[in-house]
């Protein structure tokens, strides 16, 4: 105890923020890992392809909107998407799901509605922004970048078959797969949370607010702030509402749309599985679409 009391206040603050982010994120990583494990055992590639539409554009739409009934927080979405890609789900279906699932699910939309004084406007425009981003990503992956976006080292050398298992043995194997996924993903989450906590303590937000005077810089600053804070999508709307008076509608919308798609912990988890070239394209496409979308909103 004496040792902790002698630590600088900033270190104690960073530690408290780190623990709060970890405690907030870990349950969703666990849920994502459980879903991933059960997908691995119960969902075969044949079943996946039977469920998907035949048309490429319809598959993009499928991936964009399936998050409404198959939701996941951004803290747990990466392991689910990794597993879907292993099951030969097309990238132009899986990546739009990664973009929209943490935003368009009913829990996040209701939290957004509540945070802004029961205003449907913010929930609606947040959902529309994420859908627009997902469609652009899907079109890019469906018609422009058609090569693999996954690291070769992240692809399993062989497909596991669990069809011979029955009953509780199958459930047990799904839990084993979930535990492996949880510890594999969790270590990257910890590094991301640590970095996010240090950024929050040692980069004063007052510096950011002072230079956000025109619409474009305000939008860019709020996008940067969303990245640095790395908030959970169930909670970020309440932070966004507190910034509304300072920055205005369009910059806050940029904060709400980009936060669940690009944050520190997510990028570190993605770096484990996806090629660097794709991650850079992912960040660039999302950023450009959100800036243009919010500039249009600012002019309405």
């Amino acid at each position: 105890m004496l040792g902790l009391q002698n630590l600088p206040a900033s270190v104690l603050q960073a530690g408290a923020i780190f623990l709060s982010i970890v405690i907030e994120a870990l349950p969703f990583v666990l849920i994502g890992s459980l879903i991933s494990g059960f997908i691995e055992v119960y969902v075969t590639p044949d079943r996946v392809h039977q469920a998907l539409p035949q048309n490429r554009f319809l598959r993009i739409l499928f991936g964009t909107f399936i998050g409404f009934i198959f939701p996941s927080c951004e803290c747990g979405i990466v392991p689910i998407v990794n597993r879907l890609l292993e099951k030969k789900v097309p990238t132009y279906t899986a990546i739009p799901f990664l973009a929209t699932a943490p935003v368009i699910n009913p829990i996040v939309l209701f939290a957004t509605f509540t945070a802004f004084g029961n205003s449907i406007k913010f929930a609606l425009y947040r959902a529309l922004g994420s859908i627009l981003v997902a469609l652009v990503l899907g079109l890019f992956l469906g018609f422009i970048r058609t090569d693999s976006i996954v690291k070769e080292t992240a692809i399993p050398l062989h497909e596991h078959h669990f069809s011979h298992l029955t009953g509780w043995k199958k459930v047990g194997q799904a839990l084993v797969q979930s535990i492996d996924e949880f510890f594999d993903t969790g270590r990257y989450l910890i590094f991301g949370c640590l970095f996010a906590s240090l950024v929050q303590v040692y980069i004063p937000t007052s510096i950011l607010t002072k230079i956000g005077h025109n619409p474009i810089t305000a939008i860019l600053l709020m996008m940067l702030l969303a990245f640095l804070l790395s908030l959970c999508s169930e909670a970020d709307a309440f932070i966004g509402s507190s910034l509304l008076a300072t920055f205005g509608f369009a910059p806050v919308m940029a904060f709400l749309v980009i936060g669940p798609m690009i944050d520190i912990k997510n990028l570190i988890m993605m770096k484990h599985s996806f090629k660097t070239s794709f991650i850079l394209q992912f960040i660039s496409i999302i950023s450009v679409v959100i800036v243009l979308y919010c500039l249009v909103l600012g002019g309405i």
Side-chain angles (χ1 to χ4, degrees), residues 161-200:
H161 293 282
F162 303 102
S163 56
H164 64 285
L165 299 177
T166 58
W168 288 108
K169 289 184 179 180
K170 212 166 190 178
V171 174
Q173 186 59 50
L175 293 175
V176 169
Q177 296 293 322
S178 299
I179 292 169
D180 289 343
E181 186 70 57
F182 177 75
F183 283 104
D184 189 45
T185 304
R187 55 181 173 173
Y188 296 98
L189 172 75
I190 295 298
F191 289 127
C193 292
L194 178 61
F195 186 68
S197 64
L198 294 175
V199 165
Q200 289 188 46

Side-chain angles (χ1 to χ4, degrees), residues 54-69:
Q54 296 303 310
N55 181 276
R56 182 170 295 194
F57 184 71
L58 291 179
R59 288 184 173 189
I60 294 172
L61 292 177
F62 182 86
T64 299
F65 290 100
I66 193 64
F68 187 79
I69 58 174

Side-chain angles (χ1 to χ4, degrees), residues 45-84:
D46 290 339
R47 288 181 180 175
V48 170
H49 286 281
Q50 288 173 4
L52 290 175
Q54 296 303 310
N55 181 276
R56 182 170 295 194
F57 184 71
L58 291 179
R59 288 184 173 189
I60 294 172
L61 292 177
F62 182 86
T64 299
F65 290 100
I66 193 64
F68 187 79
I69 58 174
F70 187 56
S72 175
C73 173
E74 81 280 1
C75 301
I77 192 70
V78 174
I80 298 174
V81 169
N82 287 339
R83 194 68 70 186
L84 291 175

